Amino acid sequence: TTDKKIVGNVNQQTLSCFEGANEVYFCQVSTGQKFDQYGLRVDEWATPVGSHWIWRKTISLHMSGGGTGAGWDTMAIPWTSLFVGTGVAIHSTFWHNDFGTARSHGCVNASPEDAKWIFRWTTPHVGLYPGDLTATDYSGTVVNIVEPLY
């Protein structure tokens, strides 16, 4: 199927995969936090709202960021589908099981099973051999991140 798209809802903390008008997969996710532990708004942690496309996929990725005392450095994050050039991705999360609650630093956290399904379903397709695939055109699956007012 070539008419694929993903809709991530940051208010409901859900992700839906569509083929045409038909929803073929649904899961709870954890998107970017909007507030820190003190209740202060942190815009750089929010998952970017808008229409994006998956431009790079890798079976395992080392992710790090943040500053001293508030940083992270995590090896081997599986089933990573990047959709924003700053490193924002849909990826497997093995360090929490709190899906349905915003708690990432911008990415869309999914359970290992959900992230693997999404990775294998989306384009560009990655072959059977480990590695990554970077798309240079706009042919990857569209990812629409929405924040409805309801």
Side-chain angles (χ1 to χ4, degrees), residues 11 31 35 41 63 72 74 79 84 92 100 105 112 116 118 126 131-132 145:
N11 289 341
T31 63
F35 302 96
R41 188 160 180 90
M63 289 187 180
W72 66 94
T74 309
W79 311 116
V84 175
S92 175
H105 292 111
K116 181 178 180 180
I118 294 162
V126 175
D132 68 43
I145 303 296

mmCIF file of all heavy atoms in Angstrom, residues 11 31 35 41 63 72 74 79 84 92 100 105 112 116 118 126 131-132 145:
data_model
loop_
_atom_site.group_PDB
_atom_site.id
_atom_site.type_symbol
_atom_site.label_atom_id
_atom_site.label_comp_id
_atom_site.label_asym_id
_atom_site.label_seq_id
_atom_site.Cartn_x
_atom_site.Cartn_y
_atom_site.Cartn_z
ATOM 1 N N ASN A 11 -2.373 15.275 22.751
ATOM 2 C CA ASN A 11 -3.305 15.436 23.879
ATOM 3 C C ASN A 11 -3.797 14.091 24.395
ATOM 4 O O ASN A 11 -3.953 13.903 25.599
ATOM 5 C CB ASN A 11 -4.493 16.317 23.490
ATOM 6 C CG ASN A 11 -4.099 17.765 23.332
ATOM 7 O OD1 ASN A 11 -3.066 18.205 23.828
ATOM 8 N ND2 ASN A 11 -4.914 18.525 22.615
ATOM 9 N N THR A 31 4.552 11.081 24.234
ATOM 10 C CA THR A 31 5.193 12.132 23.452
ATOM 11 C C THR A 31 5.952 13.066 24.387
ATOM 12 O O THR A 31 6.068 12.810 25.588
ATOM 13 C CB THR A 31 4.143 12.920 22.635
ATOM 14 O OG1 THR A 31 3.241 13.566 23.530
ATOM 15 C CG2 THR A 31 3.391 12.004 21.687
ATOM 16 N N PHE A 35 5.959 20.276 30.300
ATOM 17 C CA PHE A 35 6.315 20.954 31.546
ATOM 18 C C PHE A 35 7.373 20.141 32.291
ATOM 19 O O PHE A 35 7.384 18.918 32.228
ATOM 20 C CB PHE A 35 5.073 21.107 32.440
ATOM 21 C CG PHE A 35 3.962 21.878 31.773
ATOM 22 C CD1 PHE A 35 2.940 21.207 31.126
ATOM 23 C CD2 PHE A 35 3.969 23.256 31.776
ATOM 24 C CE1 PHE A 35 1.919 21.898 30.492
ATOM 25 C CE2 PHE A 35 2.956 23.967 31.140
ATOM 26 C CZ PHE A 35 1.934 23.297 30.496
ATOM 27 N N ARG A 41 6.827 25.522 31.745
ATOM 28 C CA ARG A 41 6.723 25.097 30.350
ATOM 29 C C ARG A 41 8.120 24.941 29.745
ATOM 30 O O ARG A 41 8.980 25.800 29.926
ATOM 31 C CB ARG A 41 5.909 26.102 29.546
ATOM 32 C CG ARG A 41 5.621 25.607 28.143
ATOM 33 C CD ARG A 41 4.446 26.352 27.533
ATOM 34 N NE ARG A 41 4.179 25.880 26.207
ATOM 35 C CZ ARG A 41 3.362 24.878 25.910
ATOM 36 N NH1 ARG A 41 2.714 24.267 26.875
ATOM 37 N NH2 ARG A 41 3.168 24.510 24.674
ATOM 38 N N MET A 63 21.273 7.423 21.393
ATOM 39 C CA MET A 63 20.716 8.771 21.556
ATOM 40 C C MET A 63 21.253 9.384 22.839
ATOM 41 O O MET A 63 21.339 8.719 23.870
ATOM 42 C CB MET A 63 19.184 8.728 21.620
ATOM 43 C CG MET A 63 18.511 8.400 20.329
ATOM 44 S SD MET A 63 16.724 8.590 20.517
ATOM 45 C CE MET A 63 16.195 8.137 18.883
ATOM 46 N N TRP A 72 20.740 12.751 29.094
ATOM 47 C CA TRP A 72 20.519 11.320 28.916
ATOM 48 C C TRP A 72 21.516 10.806 27.902
ATOM 49 O O TRP A 72 22.016 11.543 27.057
ATOM 50 C CB TRP A 72 19.080 11.031 28.504
ATOM 51 C CG TRP A 72 18.725 11.560 27.143
ATOM 52 C CD1 TRP A 72 18.777 10.888 25.957
ATOM 53 C CD2 TRP A 72 18.298 12.874 26.810
ATOM 54 N NE1 TRP A 72 18.412 11.693 24.916
ATOM 55 C CE2 TRP A 72 18.101 12.927 25.418
ATOM 56 C CE3 TRP A 72 18.056 14.023 27.541
ATOM 57 C CZ2 TRP A 72 17.684 14.076 24.752
ATOM 58 C CZ3 TRP A 72 17.639 15.156 26.877
ATOM 59 C CH2 TRP A 72 17.446 15.176 25.514
ATOM 60 N N THR A 74 21.627 7.047 26.051
ATOM 61 C CA THR A 74 21.068 5.702 25.977
ATOM 62 C C THR A 74 21.543 5.005 24.722
ATOM 63 O O THR A 74 21.364 5.510 23.610
ATOM 64 C CB THR A 74 19.521 5.747 26.003
ATOM 65 O OG1 THR A 74 19.104 6.548 27.111
ATOM 66 C CG2 THR A 74 18.939 4.357 26.122
ATOM 67 N N TRP A 79 14.348 0.094 16.752
ATOM 68 C CA TRP A 79 13.193 0.402 15.904
ATOM 69 C C TRP A 79 12.945 1.905 15.798
ATOM 70 O O TRP A 79 11.860 2.395 16.057
ATOM 71 C CB TRP A 79 11.949 -0.335 16.384
ATOM 72 C CG TRP A 79 12.185 -1.788 16.616
ATOM 73 C CD1 TRP A 79 12.096 -2.454 17.804
ATOM 74 C CD2 TRP A 79 12.567 -2.771 15.640
ATOM 75 N NE1 TRP A 79 12.396 -3.779 17.627
ATOM 76 C CE2 TRP A 79 12.695 -4.000 16.300
ATOM 77 C CE3 TRP A 79 12.824 -2.727 14.268
ATOM 78 C CZ2 TRP A 79 13.058 -5.181 15.647
ATOM 79 C CZ3 TRP A 79 13.188 -3.896 13.621
ATOM 80 C CH2 TRP A 79 13.298 -5.103 14.308
ATOM 81 N N VAL A 84 11.867 14.181 12.176
ATOM 82 C CA VAL A 84 12.245 15.591 12.252
ATOM 83 C C VAL A 84 13.767 15.638 12.259
ATOM 84 O O VAL A 84 14.412 14.839 12.946
ATOM 85 C CB VAL A 84 11.660 16.278 13.511
ATOM 86 C CG1 VAL A 84 12.161 17.708 13.646
ATOM 87 C CG2 VAL A 84 10.139 16.270 13.470
ATOM 88 N N SER A 92 11.290 2.599 19.959
ATOM 89 C CA SER A 92 11.017 1.692 21.064
ATOM 90 C C SER A 92 11.545 2.295 22.357
ATOM 91 O O SER A 92 12.573 2.972 22.369
ATOM 92 C CB SER A 92 11.705 0.351 20.798
ATOM 93 O OG SER A 92 11.555 -0.506 21.895
ATOM 94 N N GLY A 100 0.785 6.604 27.398
ATOM 95 C CA GLY A 100 -0.431 7.341 27.682
ATOM 96 C C GLY A 100 -0.147 8.593 28.497
ATOM 97 O O GLY A 100 -1.033 9.382 28.765
ATOM 98 N N HIS A 105 11.565 13.642 25.621
ATOM 99 C CA HIS A 105 12.193 14.923 25.294
ATOM 100 C C HIS A 105 11.946 15.249 23.828
ATOM 101 O O HIS A 105 12.850 15.680 23.118
ATOM 102 C CB HIS A 105 13.685 14.869 25.596
ATOM 103 C CG HIS A 105 13.985 14.774 27.047
ATOM 104 N ND1 HIS A 105 14.516 13.642 27.620
ATOM 105 C CD2 HIS A 105 13.797 15.661 28.063
ATOM 106 C CE1 HIS A 105 14.661 13.845 28.920
ATOM 107 N NE2 HIS A 105 14.221 15.056 29.213
ATOM 108 N N PRO A 112 8.119 -1.723 22.776
ATOM 109 C CA PRO A 112 8.941 -2.429 21.788
ATOM 110 C C PRO A 112 8.119 -3.095 20.688
ATOM 111 O O PRO A 112 8.488 -3.024 19.509
ATOM 112 C CB PRO A 112 9.709 -3.449 22.634
ATOM 113 C CG PRO A 112 9.828 -2.779 23.971
ATOM 114 C CD PRO A 112 8.509 -2.061 24.148
ATOM 115 N N LYS A 116 8.283 -1.775 16.754
ATOM 116 C CA LYS A 116 8.711 -2.709 15.712
ATOM 117 C C LYS A 116 7.668 -2.791 14.601
ATOM 118 O O LYS A 116 8.015 -2.783 13.421
ATOM 119 C CB LYS A 116 8.931 -4.111 16.311
ATOM 120 C CG LYS A 116 9.399 -5.128 15.296
ATOM 121 C CD LYS A 116 9.647 -6.475 15.970
ATOM 122 C CE LYS A 116 10.125 -7.505 14.982
ATOM 123 N NZ LYS A 116 10.370 -8.807 15.630
ATOM 124 N N ILE A 118 5.466 -0.491 13.711
ATOM 125 C CA ILE A 118 5.496 0.782 12.987
ATOM 126 C C ILE A 118 6.720 0.847 12.076
ATOM 127 O O ILE A 118 6.623 1.230 10.914
ATOM 128 C CB ILE A 118 5.459 1.956 13.985
ATOM 129 C CG1 ILE A 118 4.113 1.970 14.713
ATOM 130 C CG2 ILE A 118 5.742 3.276 13.292
ATOM 131 C CD1 ILE A 118 4.107 2.785 15.994
ATOM 132 N N VAL A 126 13.435 -0.829 5.181
ATOM 133 C CA VAL A 126 14.790 -1.259 5.504
ATOM 134 C C VAL A 126 14.866 -2.750 5.202
ATOM 135 O O VAL A 126 13.964 -3.500 5.569
ATOM 136 C CB VAL A 126 15.125 -0.986 6.988
ATOM 137 C CG1 VAL A 126 16.483 -1.541 7.350
ATOM 138 C CG2 VAL A 126 15.057 0.508 7.270
ATOM 139 N N GLY A 131 21.125 -2.362 9.817
ATOM 140 C CA GLY A 131 21.678 -1.123 9.305
ATOM 141 C C GLY A 131 20.606 -0.063 9.288
ATOM 142 O O GLY A 131 19.584 -0.190 9.938
ATOM 143 N N ASP A 132 20.874 0.992 8.531
ATOM 144 C CA ASP A 132 19.861 2.031 8.455
ATOM 145 C C ASP A 132 19.633 2.421 7.012
ATOM 146 O O ASP A 132 20.357 2.016 6.118
ATOM 147 C CB ASP A 132 20.230 3.246 9.314
ATOM 148 C CG ASP A 132 21.426 4.023 8.787
ATOM 149 O OD1 ASP A 132 21.522 4.257 7.574
ATOM 150 O OD2 ASP A 132 22.252 4.435 9.618
ATOM 151 N N ILE A 145 1.591 15.099 13.428
ATOM 152 C CA ILE A 145 1.475 15.242 14.872
ATOM 153 C C ILE A 145 0.458 16.349 15.125
ATOM 154 O O ILE A 145 0.634 17.482 14.658
ATOM 155 C CB ILE A 145 2.828 15.585 15.527
ATOM 156 C CG1 ILE A 145 3.880 14.517 15.200
ATOM 157 C CG2 ILE A 145 2.668 15.781 17.030
ATOM 158 C CD1 ILE A 145 3.577 13.132 15.751
#
